[in-house]
């Protein structure tokens, strides 16, 4: 059983100061509640020929987010060149209340061919922690026309992230403050009106665990830095009927947590590294006025640059292994044809083999899915849609967890009808 409710509200002010400058202000509020009750463990028992159900698991959330963003956008001339810029400040307060329950003593067994309903034992949620995250950030970005065909882009962001993590069991609070600077630079070069080259370098950071789970023990670690380099080209050919993109990317994360043993004791250290590089291709083709074809292809070479795990009391290196859940190849093809008021479309998606664990001993099978949809355009912009998903009823998993011992299976063949109105 899962019950979730999200609410979001925003008030916006757009003030045109003059022909070149705009002042914008956004105030936003959001709430999120979640009540999750489930048995997480299912295992077939050959002795009884029943499915043993275990791992009674509850999740409770009450979150409230509020904040404000103000930015100034405009353009000016510098040394005879046009500069477009945006600068601003944002503050937000994220109040997170979390709880739940985990009880493996509650077990049930069901007949897999004639299963009886499993009733909720009705245990109560236990509120375990309150987390408050206050984030203030300043950002500025500018793009300058260096020549008629070459543009340069640069931006920086400075944040102050204050975290208070309170355990309800003893009402103790662990607090920390991060001051991460991030930014990006890039260029765009127009070879001709239908072909360009681009490149970018981006710096980012992330905590060693999600901030809502960053306990006092993990607050001693610094943020994990990452960077991305990307080069590519975009082109429009065949009388604007074909849009094509090709890109090369190179990503790296440093100072990720890895394990060491010193004098027989296990320690976590920020000495790990993970990288990925690859190429992506995308093409959108309009061979006729009512027919659209699209294709995507990506090849990725990822590996742990330095990463250790503790296995049976000893250190085992995973350096050079493929990180879990990363496919080396992803392919997708989509086609859409219009017939009067109807649009008929189909999608084929193929994901290559991955591994469910860092040791690369538990492979996850490659899979291919096929979807189709029929849309009927109503008057005044409305739409009535019938969509079929996983039409071949393939059994596949998109994600693994718990060291590869748990897989998240996707839905079998399914159909849905959607009615969309615009007013």
């Amino acid at each position: 059983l899962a019950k979730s409710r999200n609410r979001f509200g925003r008030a916006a002010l757009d003030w045109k100061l003059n022909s070149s400058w705009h002042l914008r202000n956004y105030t936003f509020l959001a709430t999120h509640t979640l009540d999750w009750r489930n048995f997480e463990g299912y295992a077939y028992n050959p002795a009884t020929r029943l499915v043993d159900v275990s791992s009674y698991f509850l999740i409770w959330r009450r979150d409230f987010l509020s904040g404000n963003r103000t930015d100034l956008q405009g353009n000016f001339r510098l040394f005879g060149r046009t500069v477009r810029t945006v600068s601003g400040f944002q503050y937000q307060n994220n109040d997170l209340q979390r709880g739940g329950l985990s009880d493996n003593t509650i077990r049930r067994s069901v007949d897999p061919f004639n299963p009886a309903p499993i009733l909720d034992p009705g245990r109560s949620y236990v509120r375990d922690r309150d987390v408050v995250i206050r984030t203030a950030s300043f950002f500025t970005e500018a793009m300058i026309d260096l020549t008629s065909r070459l543009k340069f882009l640069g931006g920086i962001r400075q944040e102050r992230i204050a975290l208070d993590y309170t355990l309800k069991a003893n009402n103790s609070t662990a607090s920390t403050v991060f001051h991460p600077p991030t930014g990006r630079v890039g260029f765009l070069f127009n070879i001709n009106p239908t072909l360009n080259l681009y490149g970018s370098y981006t710096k980012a950071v992330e905590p060693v665990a999600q901030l809502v789970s960053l306990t006092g023990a993990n607050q001693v670690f610094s943020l994990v830095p990452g960077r991305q380099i990307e080069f590519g080209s975009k082109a429009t050919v065949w009388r604007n009927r074909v849009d094509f993109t090709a890109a090369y990317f190179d990503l790296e994360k440093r100072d990720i947590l890895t394990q060491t043993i010193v004098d027989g004791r296990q320690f976590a250290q920020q000495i790990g590294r993970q990288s990925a590089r690859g190429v992506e291709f995308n093409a959108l083709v309009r061979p006729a006025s009512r027919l659209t074809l699209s294709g995507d292809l990506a090849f990725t070479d990822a590996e742990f640059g330095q990463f250790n795990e503790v296995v049976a009391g000893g250190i085992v290196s995973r350096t050079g292994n493929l990180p879990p859940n990363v496919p080396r190849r992803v392919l997708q093809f989509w086609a859409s044809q219009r017939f009067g008021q109807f649009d008929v479309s189909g999608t084929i998606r193929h994901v290559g083999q991955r591994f469910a664990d860092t040791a690369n001993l538990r492979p996850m099978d490659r899979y291919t899915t096929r979807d189709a949809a029929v849309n009927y355009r109503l008057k005044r912009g409305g739409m009535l849609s019938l969509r079929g998903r996983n039409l071949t009823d393939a059994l596949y998993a998109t994600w693994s967890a718990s060291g590869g011992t748990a897989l998240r299976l996707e839905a079998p063949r399914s159909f849905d009808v959607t009615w969309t109105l615009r007013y």
Side-chain angles (χ1 to χ4, degrees):
L1 173 66
K3 296 180 181 179
S4 179
R5 176 174 293 181
N6 297 277
R7 295 187 177 94
F8 180 79
R10 185 178 73 170
L13 170 67
D14 189 340
W15 185 8
K16 186 175 182 180
L17 302 177
N18 54 44
S19 60
S20 300
W21 294 93
H22 277 77
L23 180 66
R24 293 183 170 92
N25 187 84
Y26 306 93
T27 301
F28 53 89
L29 300 171
T31 62
H32 167 64
T33 62
L34 174 66
D35 297 293
W36 173 282
R37 313 179 71 89
N38 192 32
F39 283 98
E40 303 284 311
Y42 298 85
Y44 179 70
N45 189 332
T48 62
R49 297 184 179 181
L50 300 176
V51 174
D52 295 332
V53 182
S54 61
S55 299
Y56 184 60
F57 189 62
L58 311 181
I59 302 175
W60 177 87
R61 295 178 181 175
R62 294 292 183 274
D63 301 343
F64 178 71
L65 172 69
S66 60
N68 187 85
R69 170 188 168 116
T70 302
D71 62 64
L72 180 66
Q73 302 180 32
N75 60 80
F76 59 93
R77 303 284 289 181
L78 179 66
F79 302 118
R81 302 297 180 184
T82 300
V83 179
R84 301 171 183 83
T85 182
V86 55
S87 300
F89 176 82
Q90 178 171 311
Y91 176 82
Q92 66 180 36
N93 187 87
N94 203 358
D95 190 346
L96 311 170
Q97 300 176 3
R98 298 300 171 89
L101 182 71
S102 180
D103 190 344
N104 202 35
T105 65
I106 303 175
R107 296 173 177 267
R108 301 287 189 270
S109 295
V110 296
D111 186 340
F113 302 103
N114 187 25
I118 300 178
L119 300 180
D120 182 8
R123 299 286 298 276
S124 299
Y125 295 103
V126 178
R127 183 171 167 183
D128 57 21
R129 67 190 186 275
D130 291 351
V131 181
V132 179
I133 306 169
R134 294 177 295 274
T135 305
S137 59
F138 168 79
F139 55 91
T140 183
E141 188 171 79
M143 182 175 68
I144 182 171
D145 297 332
L146 295 178
T147 70
S148 60
R149 295 197 294 176
L150 178 62
K151 303 179 187 295
F152 177 81
L153 171 72
I156 59 173
R157 182 183 183 92
Q158 178 65 55
E159 293 184 282
R160 181 185 186 275
I161 305 172
L163 170 67
D164 294 325
Y165 186 102
T166 301
L167 284 174
K168 302 301 291 184
N170 54 16
N171 209 33
S172 62
T173 300
S175 302
T176 190
V177 179
F178 299 108
H179 299 88
T182 56
R184 64 172 179 166
V185 294
F187 72 89
L188 175 66
F189 180 70
N190 293 317
I191 298 176
N192 57 50
T194 63
L195 175 63
N196 65 52
L197 300 175
Y198 71 90
S200 67
Y201 174 89
T202 305
K203 178 184 177 182
V205 294
E206 67 178 13
V208 294
Q210 294 184 17
L211 290 176
V212 71
S213 302
L214 201 66
T215 63
N218 283 330
Q219 289 180 14
V220 300
F221 297 109
S222 61
L223 297 174
V224 176
R227 61 108 178 112
Q228 174 179 321
I229 300 173
E230 181 175 341
F231 294 96
S233 176
K234 296 185 177 182
T236 300
V237 297
W238 196 22
R239 299 179 181 178
N240 296 327
R241 291 184 177 185
V242 177
D243 297 321
F244 182 81
T245 302
Y248 168 81
F249 60 88
D250 186 336
L251 301 91
E252 182 185 57
K253 288 199 303 184
R254 294 180 290 105
D255 298 341
I256 61 177
L257 284 184
T258 184
Q259 302 297 318
T260 59
I261 294 180
V262 180
D263 294 332
R265 298 180 60 188
Q266 178 179 335
F267 293 91
Q269 290 184 308
Q270 285 189 273
I271 59 174
R273 184 170 58 87
Q274 181 177 330
S275 63
R277 61 195 61 84
V279 291
E280 296 179 342
F281 303 95
N282 170 265
L284 181 68
V285 184
R286 294 171 290 271
S289 61
R290 294 175 175 267
L291 175 62
T292 304
L293 306 175
S294 176
D296 301 275
L297 179 62
F299 295 97
T300 303
D301 179 21
E303 66 176 11
F304 287 116
Q306 184 177 358
F307 190 72
N308 298 328
E309 287 185 318
V310 176
V311 179
I315 292 293
V316 177
S317 174
R318 306 303 188 194
T319 301
N321 285 4
L322 183 69
N325 301 302
V326 178
R328 296 191 185 276
R329 182 177 67 254
V330 177
L331 170 66
Q332 179 170 287
F333 176 77
W334 173 82
S336 176
Q337 175 69 57
R338 176 171 294 183
F339 302 95
Q341 296 293 107
F342 291 90
D343 292 320
V344 180
S345 63
T347 304
I348 299 176
R349 177 176 173 81
H350 174 80
V351 176
Q353 188 184 70
R354 301 135 292 150
F355 288 99
D357 62 339
T358 56
N360 289 181
L361 297 177
R362 295 173 175 168
M364 297 173 64
D365 290 341
R366 62 181 63 88
Y367 65 88
T368 302
T369 59
R370 295 167 177 83
D371 303 337
V374 177
N375 300 323
Y376 178 71
R377 297 188 306 280
L378 305 172
K379 296 180 178 179
R380 300 180 181 178
M383 182 83 70
L384 183 64
S385 302
L386 170 63
R387 179 176 295 275
R389 307 177 191 272
N390 192 10
L391 296 179
T392 58
D393 204 22
L395 178 65
Y396 67 101
T398 60
W399 194 258
S400 69
S402 303
T405 60
L407 301 178
R408 187 176 69 191
L409 295 179
E410 293 303 305
R413 181 190 299 117
S414 60
F415 299 90
D416 61 74
V417 177
T418 305
W419 183 18
T420 305
L421 294 177
R422 295 182 181 180
Y423 54 90

